[in-house]
Amino acid sequence: TAAPEPTARAEPPTIVPRELFAASMQAYQSAATIADEQKALQGITEAATLGHPPAQLQMGEFYKVGQGFAKDPAEARRWYERAANGGNILAMHRLGVMLARGEGGPADLKASIALFEQASNLGLVDSQYNLGATFHPTANGAASEIQSREKSFFWYALAARNGDAQAGALAAGVGASLDAATRQEIEQQVASWSALPANQEANEPPPTF
């Protein structure tokens, strides 16, 4: 007797985290019941767990403000870190702020600065401003290894060049304490600065609410 023909089995559908996140965010936006909302949140969580940086950023946002999930700064910090490691620029900034303030875990100013620098080099103006503020010397001069007139002037001036409304006056204030040659050298660095290319898929915005 002839052996039976092998039966073809359907392959399970492949989950594309990017598509799952977009669909789940749209479903969350239009949810009419708590059950609909919870189902959408499950999809967002799955996309984040599968490694999609915009979904991980969104999880951080949810936990940071207590939307969709109970407010949990430590969990927000964990999700921001995952998104930042995946190349999400806003997550780098959010995590940098939490590390600077000691939100959701221990404060770590050096790690915060590193994250702000990473986001700044990728073009995030808010991080550029924060670096200017972090390095800003006290009224009595540089009182710590962190503070630096030169670094503060550079980042404030760069943030101002890139559109921050407050940074220009702050750059002028710090720059007034620098000698003319140093100030001119930094201004040339600012003028020639250009952002590094960002990972586009890691930084896609979610559907708006």
Side-chain angles (χ1 to χ4, degrees):
T1 306
E5 292 289 328
T7 303
R9 299 193 178 190
E11 292 292 328
T14 300
I15 297 174
V16 180
R18 177 173 176 264
E19 295 175 0
L20 175 61
F21 176 55
S24 297
M25 284 295 291
Q26 290 172 348
Y28 182 76
Q29 179 182 1
S30 61
T33 66
I34 293 177
D36 290 340
E37 180 179 296
Q38 290 301 311
K39 183 177 180 181
L41 288 170
Q42 288 174 3
I44 295 167
T45 302
E46 183 176 2
T49 301
L50 289 170
H52 187 52
Q56 294 169 334
L57 170 68
Q58 187 61 56
M59 292 294 291
E61 305 282 65
F62 281 150
Y63 279 108
K64 183 73 163 60
V65 301
Q67 179 183 350
F69 301 91
K71 187 173 182 178
D72 187 338
E75 191 67 12
R77 185 159 152 168
R78 283 191 285 271
W79 282 114
Y80 286 144
E81 183 174 10
R82 294 169 190 170
N85 289 339
N88 187 276
I89 300 170
L90 185 54
M92 297 171 194
H93 180 80
R94 294 276 199 264
L95 181 59
V97 170
M98 296 191 83
L99 286 166
R101 295 176 177 172
E103 295 176 342
D108 188 336
L109 187 56
K110 289 187 176 181
S112 171
I113 289 170
L115 284 159
F116 286 147
E117 288 177 339
Q118 190 176 3
S120 292
N121 289 327
L122 291 165
L124 190 65
V125 178
D126 285 348
S127 283
Q128 294 165 1
Y129 177 92
N130 279 11
L131 284 172
T134 300
F135 292 126
H136 196 131
T138 64
N140 297 324
S144 76
E145 62 180 13
I146 297 297
Q147 295 167 337
S148 164
R149 290 182 178 86
E150 292 80 7
K151 290 180 180 180
S152 181
F153 178 62
F154 172 82
W155 288 112
Y156 275 145
L158 184 61
R161 194 201 90 172
N162 291 329
D164 188 280
Q166 297 178 318
L170 291 164
V174 175
S177 66
L178 299 172
D179 64 78
T182 299
R183 189 167 61 250
Q184 182 178 22
E185 180 182 354
I186 294 173
E187 286 170 344
Q188 290 173 347
Q189 292 172 358
V190 170
S192 63
W193 180 91
S194 60
L196 297 173
N199 182 325
Q200 295 301 312
E201 185 168 323
N203 290 281
E204 287 182 333
T208 55
F209 288 103

